[in-house]
Amino acid sequence: MREGLGPTWVISPWDEVTVEETGSSPWAPPALVLSGVAGLLMIRPPDNRGTWLDRVVFLRRLRDCADELAVLLESRAANGACDDNSRQE
């Protein structure tokens, strides 16, 4: 784990992830929005539309890493690796 990255978002049962249109103009691109108990996080592309395709690589990596985390959580939950109750939220 890296240190010094800032706050940590612990997923709650009430958190949601959506893609939202912020407007129809080129200066209002769509955004990925995480909202819930911990607050609100919006991930949007930079203003320079010429760099948007470069950001697609990041977003696909984010998707792949989220899927990898989901697989790990499923595996550990299925194997009883989550039975340590000493760190309950």
Side-chain angles (χ1 to χ4, degrees):
M1 280 278 180
R2 295 180 191 171
E3 293 191 28
L5 289 178
T8 300
W9 186 308
V10 177
I11 305 164
S12 82
W14 304 279
D15 292 347
E16 295 185 9
V17 177
T18 59
V19 173
E20 296 184 12
E21 286 285 352
T22 58
S24 59
S25 77
W27 298 276
L32 178 67
V33 179
L34 287 78
S35 60
V37 176
L40 179 78
L41 172 67
M42 180 181 290
I43 299 174
R44 69 170 192 80
D47 293 334
N48 180 352
R49 294 184 85 176
T51 65
W52 284 10
L53 289 179
D54 296 334
R55 299 318 185 264
V56 169
V57 173
F58 169 80
L59 291 171
R60 290 200 171 120
R61 184 73 185 130
L62 177 64
R63 175 201 60 202
D64 293 346
C65 288
D67 189 49
E68 185 178 335
L69 176 59
V71 169
L72 286 170
L73 292 176
E74 275 181 330
S75 173
R76 290 183 181 191
N79 293 326
C82 297
D83 291 342
D84 177 15
N85 293 329
S86 64
R87 291 195 57 195
Q88 284 189 348
E89 302 285 325

